[in-house]
Amino acid sequence: MRSSAAESAAPTQSAILNKLRGRDAIFHMLTRIAALGVLLTLGGVIVSLIFGAWPALSTFGFDFLFTASWNPVTEKFGALAPIYGTLVTAIIALVIAVPIGLMVAMFLTELCPMALRRPIGIAIELLAGIPSIIYGIWGLFVFAPFLQQTLQPFLISSFSSIPVLSTLFAGPPYGIGILTAGLILAIMVLPFITSISRDVFETVPPVLKEAAYGMGCTTWEVMRNIVLPYSRVGVVGGVMLSLGRALGETMAVTFVIGNAHRISGSILAPGTTISASIANEFTEAVDLMHSSSLVALGLILFVITFIVLAIARFLLMYVERQR
């Protein structure tokens, strides 16, 4: 009886194992297909951009990267002005948003009363959910006139006698311009930096902070010596994610930057970015060279984003190795 029962149970167990192996094989195949699909999509995007940008790149060569002129009538195109505007607005956004975002995250995790943590956290997350075109409309009709009447005249008058800063903040107060676009981007990326920093700050073991407080450390010393070193990998990741968002933002920047293909030493002057140039002109680009130049701008933005992500990866590896 026992032998017959064992013989009848063996096929059942074998069938179950075969079924599990089949499911595992299907799971492996699906995950592999998904990974390969991402690589194929990325490769298709790269090939499409190179193919579309080739007429402009083959005509202008490396001069396309170092020329500021952009004239569709004479078919003279250069990407220097959009590249300059993209990098400067992103830098302005990070310089403003990173310190404020980290301070807000520190306040929420260490100093904020429990009754206010959830409302403030929800408000920050709502900022991330506002469409970019809403930021653009608000920036054009509300924020830009406010800057034209208050901040920009103050900057022009305050730094007019200082050699370098007088050039950086020179010119009439237009309201719109590179500084306005950078401030709008700072508001847009602030929720990302704050939310990610808050989440990684909360992963710090409470026993470490309690031990530091027990030794007599202040809140600032705990954040600087315990929380930030423990969570620096996540903070760097959040900053790089915000930088990628700032580099590729289109509609909000298009509304407030002025869309002028020129390079000025003043950040108060109008300018343009790669994404704004593409959004403004792609529907009107009827000539092959014009449309190819716009696609080349997209390829340059792709390369810039790739370089930023690569730098972020190496920086995270370096930080992890230092730990």
Side-chain angles (χ1 to χ4, degrees):
M1 295 291 293
R2 292 181 178 178
S3 60
S4 61
E7 291 176 357
S8 61
T12 304
Q13 185 178 6
S14 177
I16 293 175
L17 291 177
N18 290 332
K19 186 177 181 180
L20 293 177
R21 291 193 189 98
R23 291 179 178 177
D24 197 47
I26 294 174
F27 175 74
H28 286 180
M29 182 180 64
L30 291 176
T31 54
R32 187 173 302 167
I33 291 174
L36 292 176
V38 172
L39 292 178
L40 289 175
T41 303
L42 181 61
V45 171
I46 296 174
V47 171
S48 299
L49 289 175
I50 294 176
F51 180 78
W54 183 249
L57 296 179
S58 60
T59 301
F60 302 111
F62 285 102
D63 291 339
F64 184 76
L65 298 175
F66 305 104
T67 303
S69 63
W70 188 274
N71 193 335
V73 177
T74 59
E75 293 190 345
K76 299 295 183 180
F77 300 101
L80 186 59
I83 293 174
Y84 169 80
T86 300
L87 296 178
V88 171
T89 53
I91 291 172
I92 293 174
L94 289 187
V95 168
I96 297 173
V98 170
I100 297 177
L102 292 179
M103 288 190 291
V104 173
M106 292 177 185
F107 174 76
L108 290 176
T109 54
E110 296 296 325
L111 301 174
C112 182
M114 294 299 297
L116 295 179
R117 286 189 181 182
R118 188 172 181 83
I120 296 178
I122 292 175
I124 293 172
E125 293 172 358
L126 286 176
L127 284 176
I130 297 176
S132 59
I133 193 170
I134 302 300
Y135 280 108
I137 294 173
W138 173 78
L140 179 63
F141 293 105
V142 178
F143 195 55
F146 172 78
L147 294 180
Q148 185 182 21
Q149 298 172 5
T150 57
L151 179 62
Q152 292 185 356
F154 171 77
L155 294 175
I156 294 172
S157 61
S158 298
F159 300 112
S160 59
S161 59
I162 302 176
V164 177
L165 296 180
S166 61
T167 303
L168 191 63
F169 299 102
Y174 294 104
I176 58 175
I178 292 179
L179 178 61
T180 306
L183 293 174
I184 291 293
L185 286 177
I187 298 173
M188 296 181 68
V189 303
L190 180 63
F192 295 93
I193 298 176
T194 302
S195 298
I196 295 175
S197 301
R198 181 193 61 185
D199 292 340
V200 297
F201 287 167
E202 290 177 348
T203 62
V204 179
V207 64
L208 296 180
K209 295 187 287 187
E210 292 172 0
Y213 284 124
M215 294 176 61
C217 294
T218 63
T219 304
W220 163 244
E221 291 173 336
V222 171
M223 296 301 300
R224 184 186 63 182
N225 299 321
I226 303 297
V227 176
L228 281 177
Y230 188 91
S231 58
R232 54 188 171 184
V233 174
V235 172
V236 172
V239 171
M240 291 303 170
L241 178 64
S242 303
L243 177 58
R245 171 67 189 275
L247 289 172
E249 178 55 42
T250 303
M251 294 309 301
V253 175
T254 304
F255 273 85
V256 299
I257 199 170
N259 302 304
H261 283 273
R262 65 169 185 243
I263 297 177
S264 175
S266 174
I267 61 175
L268 303 182
T272 188
T273 63
I274 294 176
S275 55
S277 299
I278 296 174
N280 279 324
E281 301 185 24
F282 204 83
T283 56
E284 302 175 357
V286 295
D287 298 328
L288 175 62
M289 196 57 61
H290 191 186
S291 60
S292 179
S293 299
L294 293 174
V295 176
L297 288 180
L299 178 62
I300 293 172
L301 182 59
F302 182 89
V303 173
I304 292 175
T305 306
F306 178 81
I307 293 174
V308 168
L309 293 178
I311 293 174
R313 177 60 59 183
F314 283 113
L315 183 59
L316 291 176
M317 291 173 58
Y318 173 78
V319 171
E320 197 65 27
R321 194 180 301 115
Q322 290 297 108
R323 289 185 62 184

